[in-house]
Amino acid sequence: MAATAMGIEEALLLHLQSHAAIVDSGDWAARSSFDHGAVMDVIKSLQGSGFVEAQSIKRNSWILTAEGESYAVRGSPEFQVFQAVPPEGISRVELEKKLEASVFKIGTGKAMKNKWLESLKGGTLLRKVQGVTDEVKLQLLEIRDGQHVEVPDNAITDLKNRKLIESRTWVGYSLKKGPKYAPKRVKPATDLTREILQSGEWKEREFKPYNYKALGQPTEGGHLHPLLKVRTQFRSIFLEMGFEEMPTNNFVESSFWNFDALFQPQMHPARDSHDTFFLKAPARTHKLPEDYLERVRRTHEEGGYGSIGYGYDWKRDEAEKNLLRTHTTAVSSRMLYKLAQDKFVPKRYFSIDRVFRNEAVDRTHLAEFHQIEGLVCDRGLTLGDLIGVLNDFFSRLGIKKLRFKPAYNPYTEPSMEIFSYHETLKKWVEVGNSGMFRPEMLQPMGLPADVSVIAWGLSLERPTMILYGIDNIRDLFGHKVDLKLIKSNPICRLGIH
Ligand code: FB9
């Protein structure tokens, strides 16, 4: 009978009113036909509020396995076999037909061992005794009815080895009145309500003590994605270094600003759809600064500003093709062109935003990532200035030791890959790329001849993966992001190694 906790509590407190103790909660529950599990919960709660004092008692008991249950009902396999052997004997084949496979197999073996049956030549089975008692079934029934004390230990061992029974540790309580015992428990009030005040009940009512250490309701707040946390840190480093953020709110760009303005030739492999996402609609852009475009054409075709150019036939319609920008350097070209339109002032610019490359997806590459780019535009800047600003920038990331490896970019000469020794990974990690923008890029824009621009770039995903110990970029981006990581991850400070 499913009794409520309240019913059990009252019965239990009432019982203790007239009895010094309840020695065994299991027996008491059985006698009071309460579910022992429910009784245990009530005892725990009464113990919690001092109404009872309870000691846990353990008892090892045996319960029947499913196989044991079936034999307790239908008899042990050896007994079933014996029953199935007629006094005149029976062939194994015939006998097998009469019994379940497992019963036949186990039972025959056991019956032979018990010298209940004998096997004649030719395989006929014959009874060796008139009748047998199915001790095993009786023992199983004893155990099932909790009377395992009646079953001799060797029989218990035998039943256990035959996986017909398995041990169970039964846990119960022995309990007596507690310091706060009362025949009826009035739940202490948790709130000083208007009713309790008006009724004056507050005078005698017990109040639940305030748990000042109680943790408030967890307030579900928003969480910054690790990428955005690291972006915030890169932003503050750039701003502290006096850089201004470039507007990057245009994923769609023209080939002109993404490639041509950067003196990247129209036959460069990066400019075909294997590497770049071109747009079907709007497929082309027509708003390009005509005079500047002509200078770009001439520079690609025949050079100038000390350059021989590429000497190929530059096509306007190639430059008009729209694409998803492959680097935020496209934004840098727009900003440098704008800078060249007014009276020159030195500038420090940075950008952190998405770029798109039609690349094979693998552990560290997706078709899009966030590029971080910095550039310094001033008169007479040298490679030394670039190395200087790189050391300053990366030192603020906690990356002290840098090494530079000559590299190639269509829009910078000289160019350098940047490496830093990663203490925990115990190896040199490529942490970015850099260079000095070519005069073939800067001069057509109209920047003064003595102005040079040093620039560098890296990704946001790589440092975030390293900082958060994320091995696969797919765990960082998209629907597979592990929200727990987002919710639980601490702010991993850049610069702290
Ligand atoms: O981010 C990269 N590596 C990196 C950066 C920081 C970092 O921090 C750790 C906490 C300590 C760890 C690793 N890389 C650039 C290097 C490699 O991962 C590289 O394999 C992958 N690169 C991306 C491009 O992949 C095709 C990272 C991405 C990248 C590469 C170059 C640029 C920007 C992003 C650039 C540039 C540039 C050059 C000259 C002038 C202007 C811009």
Side-chain angles (χ1 to χ4, degrees):
M1 175 199 55
T4 64
M6 204 42 172
I8 295 173
E9 174 171 316
E10 272 163 24
L12 203 147
L13 289 174
L14 220 52
H15 183 90
L16 282 177
Q17 196 169 21
S18 50
H19 299 76
I22 292 177
V23 183
D24 180 316
S25 58
D27 296 351
W28 184 80
R31 272 202 310 284
S32 329
S33 55
F34 288 140
D35 162 63
H36 185 240
V39 169
M40 292 285 277
D41 298 345
V42 169
I43 291 172
K44 283 188 199 119
S45 128
L46 285 172
Q47 182 174 34
S49 49
F51 270 65
V52 301
E53 253 168 38
Q55 264 71 37
S56 79
I57 48 178
K58 286 190 176 31
R59 236 198 336 262
N60 287 335
S61 69
W62 295 99
I63 59 160
L64 273 53
T65 61
E67 189 185 357
E69 279 291 348
S70 73
Y71 296 159
V73 176
R74 302 181 2 233
S76 66
E78 56 269 33
F79 183 76
Q80 291 181 51
V81 166
F82 184 83
Q83 295 295 85
V85 176
E88 69 278 8
I90 186 170
S91 74
R92 277 179 182 279
V93 182
E94 282 311 305
L95 179 62
E96 189 160 7
K97 285 203 207 91
K98 291 172 73 176
L99 297 162
E100 243 179 61
S102 64
V103 170
F104 169 76
K105 194 160 132 328
I106 299 166
T108 318
K110 214 50 194 146
M112 303 289 276
K113 206 150 132 265
N114 296 356
K115 303 206 180 340
W116 293 356
L117 297 179
E118 62 185 332
S119 172
L120 306 181
K121 275 188 289 319
T124 305
L125 289 171
L126 208 53
R127 288 183 174 194
K128 280 185 79 171
V129 290
Q130 274 314 316
V132 297
T133 314
D134 191 351
E135 292 299 337
V136 170
K137 175 177 175 168
L138 296 173
Q139 290 156 358
L140 290 171
L141 291 171
E142 289 282 356
I143 290 168
R144 194 177 61 183
D145 306 343
Q147 308 312 323
H148 57 264
V149 281
E150 318 302 324
V151 181
D153 291 355
N154 65 338
I156 292 278
T157 317
D158 182 41
L159 292 173
K160 190 171 62 138
N161 300 344
R162 291 179 68 174
K163 296 198 176 7
L164 303 184
I165 63 173
E166 56 198 5
S167 78
R168 254 308 162 281
T169 307
W170 178 88
V171 181
Y173 279 117
S174 75
L175 57 148
K176 60 185 181 6
K177 291 186 183 64
K180 288 261 192 79
Y181 172 81
K184 190 162 176 24
R185 172 165 67 166
V186 183
K187 276 216 178 315
T190 50
D191 273 334
L192 187 55
T193 61
R194 192 159 52 78
E195 291 72 30
I196 288 180
L197 280 172
Q198 277 172 339
S199 65
E201 196 189 330
W202 58 272
K203 292 194 193 78
E204 75 277 342
R205 185 68 185 273
E206 196 193 324
F207 285 86
K208 192 164 182 295
Y210 271 114
N211 168 2
Y212 295 103
K213 289 195 225 27
L215 293 177
Q217 287 296 331
T219 51
E220 279 302 308
H223 292 270
L224 263 186
H225 184 288
L227 270 177
L228 300 183
K229 285 182 184 164
V230 178
R231 179 179 70 177
T232 309
Q233 294 175 55
F234 273 105
R235 264 217 179 105
S236 46
I237 287 172
F238 275 115
L239 296 170
E240 283 149 21
M241 293 173 71
F243 284 68
E244 288 170 53
E245 182 155 19
M246 294 185 266
T248 56
N249 55 345
N250 65 311
F251 292 169
V252 174
E253 183 57 278
S254 65
S255 296
F256 180 81
W257 291 109
N258 195 84
F259 291 125
D260 297 280
L262 300 175
F263 194 57
Q264 188 150 352
Q266 294 186 335
M267 61 285 189
H268 187 285
R271 293 187 68 159
D272 68 24
S273 58
H274 294 102
D275 286 11
T276 298
F277 296 108
F278 288 94
L279 263 66
K280 234 195 310 308
R284 325 184 67 72
T285 184
H286 305 299
K287 290 200 310 325
L288 296 170
E290 292 308 323
D291 54 349
Y292 171 42
L293 180 141
E294 281 319 311
R295 290 197 297 275
V296 168
R297 168 203 301 282
R298 205 174 38 256
T299 310
H300 278 244
E301 292 186 347
E302 53 200 79
Y305 323 105
S307 167
I308 60 169
Y310 293 116
Y312 72 95
D313 168 19
W314 188 85
K315 296 205 180 16
R316 180 186 184 118
D317 69 342
E318 184 60 36
E320 289 181 343
K321 284 184 182 164
N322 283 334
L323 44 79
L324 293 182
R325 65 172 175 226
T326 61
H327 47 198
T328 55
T329 320
V331 179
S332 306
S333 60
R334 281 173 176 277
M335 294 302 284
L336 289 168
Y337 173 74
K338 210 142 114 318
L339 189 63
Q341 305 322 299
D342 320 330
K343 186 178 144 341
F344 175 73
V345 287
K347 275 291 182 186
R348 293 168 169 244
Y349 283 136
F350 80 93
S351 62
I352 306 176
D353 210 330
R354 289 180 190 221
V355 298
F356 308 85
R357 296 185 183 180
N358 188 357
E359 274 172 350
V361 172
D362 64 17
R363 188 183 65 75
T364 57
H365 285 82
L366 287 175
E368 63 181 87
F369 68 92
H370 290 76
Q371 175 170 347
I372 300 171
E373 176 150 321
L375 68 88
V376 181
C377 179
D378 202 344
R379 300 181 188 283
L381 290 175
T382 69
L383 195 64
D385 294 308
L386 175 56
I387 291 172
V389 80
L390 288 174
N391 278 304
D392 180 2
F393 176 77
F394 280 99
S395 65
R396 294 163 189 256
L397 294 172
I399 299 176
K400 302 287 179 240
K401 282 206 303 297
L402 292 182
R403 279 197 329 191
F404 300 99
K405 185 169 146 234
Y408 171 80
N409 299 310
Y411 39 85
T412 51
E413 186 55 43
S415 308
M416 309 185 296
E417 275 170 358
I418 312 159
F419 288 81
S420 95
Y421 186 75
H422 203 284
E423 309 306 338
T424 23
L425 300 175
K426 293 271 170 287
K427 64 179 179 154
W428 284 91
V429 175
E430 183 195 347
V431 290
N433 190 306
S434 66
M436 301 191 69
F437 283 139
R438 301 180 71 101
E440 294 95 329
M441 167 185 168
L442 303 177
Q443 298 308 303
M445 292 173 169
L447 284 166
D450 65 341
V451 165
S452 45
V453 180
I454 54 179
W456 72 97
L458 62 156
S459 79
L460 182 61
E461 281 72 8
R462 296 294 300 127
T464 305
M465 288 170 72
I466 290 177
L467 277 170
Y468 285 91
I470 294 166
D471 178 58
N472 190 314
I473 195 165
R474 286 198 275 278
D475 302 341
L476 196 55
F477 236 150
H479 66 286
K480 276 202 242 156
V481 156
D482 159 353
L483 282 181
K484 255 197 334 314
L485 169 110
I486 293 203
K487 289 194 172 152
S488 62
N489 69 60
I491 295 257
C492 291
R493 284 259 163 271
L494 273 170
I496 304 164
H497 282 289

